[in-house]
């Protein structure tokens, strides 16, 4: 089939990485996949023109509101994938919720990353019960073997002469929902007591106004650094070399960065929100915190307790290998896409 795949494709964001991986799954099954950025289109009429110009037979959208609403009314069978903010934020807006309900009426199938996301969706839109499938994110990490960690530390202006450096890494697009400033003040205080701990925030500048605020705060915060986005292979190498991966988001669908850290055998400290607690079991596959003070307590515990670190890393890696198989994800999407083929034949 000739498929249109709509997603938000800001470079180096989780959505873009997920979309690229799913496109590979579909193309491996012999489909021709046209991956386009949902933000490039303002109305369904522009999509209608694209469908005609590219002779597209079916479609898929990642994010029910940003992508799904553009696929309505074209007579082309489509499926949708919940992103996270569509369920956690957009569903709280009456008009957006109505639009997404109509998208689900027309969609042949919908995919949620977790059972909790599926349950939330079924409460919001009971008519969609029966067409929502759960498929967690499939994880495959590819760290750049030639990445120079010491050069990275030097460029990040981190003092390499300190004994036993502890780098806590936050990977996120700079926008309010990711809340990268949540821990900055508490961490900066800790760094002033313990100069060998650093927090590094890595990610693209998504929201220009918020990015300015982040830069200003980080500039004044001892022990906190802000680094521009980097390619996936280099980012995986940074994760592999850091002490711990931190997620401080207000809302998550399913954080690929958390799962990738587990796969790379790096401990995870994550804010206790539904999207994170769905993949991080406190004290087993990672550590969950509810406020900055608790984060500092848990981070100190992790630094001082190598046995705990080893246990979390072992359990995390086993969890990812068992529940986030790249091959299982591929099989699921190749099977679901056949629902669109069936509808073409009907």
């Amino acid at each position: 089939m000739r498929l249109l795949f709509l997603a938000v494709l800001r470079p180096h964001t989780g959505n873009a990485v997920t979309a690229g991986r799913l496109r590979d799954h579909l193309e491996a099954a012999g489909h021709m996949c046209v991956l386009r950025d949902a933000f490039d289109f303002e109305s369904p009429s522009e999509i209608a023109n694209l469908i005609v110009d590219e002779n597209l037979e079916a479609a898929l959208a990642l994010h029910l509101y940003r992508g799904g609403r553009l696929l309505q009314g074209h007579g082309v069978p489509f499926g949708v994938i919940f992103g996270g903010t569509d369920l956690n934020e957009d569903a709280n807006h009456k008009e957006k919720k109505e639009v997404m309900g109509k998208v689900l009426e027309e969609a042949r199938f919908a995919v949620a990353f977790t059972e909790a996301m599926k349950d939330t969706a079924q409460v919001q839109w009971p008519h969609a019960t029966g067409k929502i499938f759960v498929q967690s994110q499939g994880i495959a990490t590819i760290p750049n073997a030639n990445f120079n960690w010491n050069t990275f530390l030097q460029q990040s202006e981190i003092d390499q002469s300190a004994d036993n450096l502890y780098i806590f890494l936050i990977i996120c697009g700079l926008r309010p929902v990711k809340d990268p400033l949540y821990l900055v003040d508490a961490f900066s205080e800790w760094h002033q007591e313990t100069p060998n701990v650093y927090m590094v925030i890595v990610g693209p500048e998504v929201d220009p106004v918020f990015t300015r605020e982040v830069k200003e705060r980080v500039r004044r915060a001892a022990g906190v650094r802000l680094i521009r986005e980097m390619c996936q292979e280099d980012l995986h190498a940074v994760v592999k070399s850091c002490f711990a991966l931190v997620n401080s988001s207000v809302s998550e669908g399913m954080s690929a960065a958390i799962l990738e850290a587990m796969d790379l055998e790096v401990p995870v400290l994550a804010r206790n929100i539904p999207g994170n607690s769905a993949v991080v079991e406190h004290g087993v596959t990672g550590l969950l915190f509810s406020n900055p003070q608790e984060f500092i307590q848990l981070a100190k515990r992790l630094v001082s307790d190598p046995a705990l670190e080893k246990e979390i890393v072992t359990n995390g890696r086993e969890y990812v290998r068992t529940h986030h198989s790249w091959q299982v994800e591929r099989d699921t999407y190749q099977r679901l896409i056949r629902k669109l083929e069936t509808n073409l034949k009907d």
Side-chain angles (χ1 to χ4, degrees):
M1 278 191 300
R2 293 177 64 83
L3 286 165
L4 171 62
F5 187 4
L6 281 183
V8 176
L9 299 178
R10 291 189 195 98
H12 310 291
T13 60
N15 272 341
V17 171
T18 298
R21 190 178 66 251
L22 299 187
R23 176 189 58 191
D24 291 346
H25 293 336
L26 301 176
E27 291 186 339
H31 303 294
M32 204 287 290
C33 197
V34 177
L35 179 58
R36 297 295 295 269
D37 193 330
F39 281 155
D40 288 345
F41 303 93
E42 290 183 9
S43 69
S45 63
E46 293 175 58
I47 295 292
N49 294 335
L50 180 66
I51 288 169
V52 172
D53 293 346
E54 297 277 354
N55 191 26
L56 299 167
E57 303 165 89
L60 185 66
L62 173 56
H63 199 285
L64 212 60
Y65 185 74
R66 291 177 193 151
R69 68 194 168 94
L70 295 167
L71 297 180
Q72 291 176 275
H74 302 302
V76 167
F78 68 86
V80 291
I81 304 160
F82 292 103
T85 51
D86 42 9
L87 270 179
N88 300 332
E89 296 189 8
D90 295 337
N92 299 324
H93 297 264
K94 187 171 180 286
E95 287 173 15
K96 288 182 179 180
K97 182 183 172 183
E98 283 177 16
V99 168
M100 292 190 287
K102 287 174 183 161
V103 170
L104 282 171
E105 281 176 27
E106 201 174 327
R108 307 294 189 180
F109 65 83
V111 179
F113 293 141
T114 65
E115 290 289 347
M117 287 174 79
K118 178 184 176 180
D119 293 345
T120 300
Q122 288 180 164
V123 169
Q124 295 280 16
W125 303 285
H127 65 270
T129 302
K131 64 164 70 169
I132 303 175
F133 299 84
V134 175
Q135 174 55 54
S136 58
Q137 298 236 50
I139 294 300
T141 54
I142 37 168
N144 176 1
N146 298 316
F147 186 82
N148 192 315
W149 176 241
N150 288 331
T151 301
F152 173 80
L153 293 176
Q154 199 173 348
Q155 289 171 344
S156 307
E157 298 180 359
I158 288 172
D159 181 8
Q160 297 174 66
S161 66
D163 290 336
N164 298 329
L165 271 180
Y166 294 95
I167 309 293
F168 291 80
L169 188 68
I170 294 182
I171 300 171
C172 69
L174 301 185
R175 54 192 178 119
V177 72
K178 298 299 180 182
D179 209 3
L181 296 175
Y182 184 60
L183 303 170
V184 163
D185 291 344
F187 197 95
S188 192
E189 272 184 45
W190 183 29
H191 171 80
Q192 286 165 314
E193 298 166 13
T194 314
N196 60 338
V197 298
Y198 285 86
M199 174 172 282
V200 177
I201 302 166
V202 181
E205 299 179 0
V206 176
D207 180 322
V209 175
F210 184 67
T211 295
R212 284 199 295 276
E213 183 188 341
V214 172
K215 286 180 174 177
E216 186 58 30
R217 283 276 298 280
V218 168
R219 192 174 59 79
R220 299 197 308 265
V224 182
R225 303 288 185 266
L226 180 62
I227 306 294
R228 287 190 68 87
E229 71 267 30
M230 52 184 71
C231 72
Q232 195 71 0
E233 291 86 351
D234 286 356
L235 191 58
H236 287 166
V238 170
V239 173
K240 192 173 181 179
S241 299
C242 77
F243 175 69
L245 187 284
V246 179
N247 180 296
S248 57
S249 296
V250 174
S251 161
E252 284 285 357
M254 177 174 284
S255 166
I258 285 178
L259 299 172
E260 287 164 355
M262 289 180 179
D263 192 52
L264 291 164
E265 301 186 48
V266 170
V268 170
L269 293 108
R271 193 166 176 173
N272 194 357
I273 56 169
N276 288 345
S277 60
V279 294
V280 177
E281 185 181 350
H282 184 66
V284 180
T285 57
L287 298 170
L288 294 169
F289 59 88
S290 298
N291 55 61
Q293 293 70 36
E294 189 178 12
F295 165 79
I296 298 297
Q297 288 168 4
L298 292 170
K300 286 179 176 177
R301 186 177 153 208
L302 198 58
V303 164
S304 64
D305 190 346
L308 174 66
E309 180 196 354
K310 187 179 178 186
E311 184 182 349
I312 282 173
V313 159
T314 303
N315 293 338
R317 189 161 191 253
E318 183 58 32
Y319 167 77
V320 167
R321 297 292 158 94
T322 306
H323 298 284
H324 295 275
S325 158
W326 177 90
Q327 187 62 52
V328 169
E329 181 186 58
R330 170 164 285 200
D331 294 345
T332 297
Y333 281 97
Q334 290 180 351
R335 187 180 73 250
L336 287 173
I337 283 296
R338 288 203 288 273
K339 290 178 176 288
L340 306 184
E341 282 181 310
T342 306
N343 283 302
L344 284 173
K345 291 167 190 166
D346 290 348

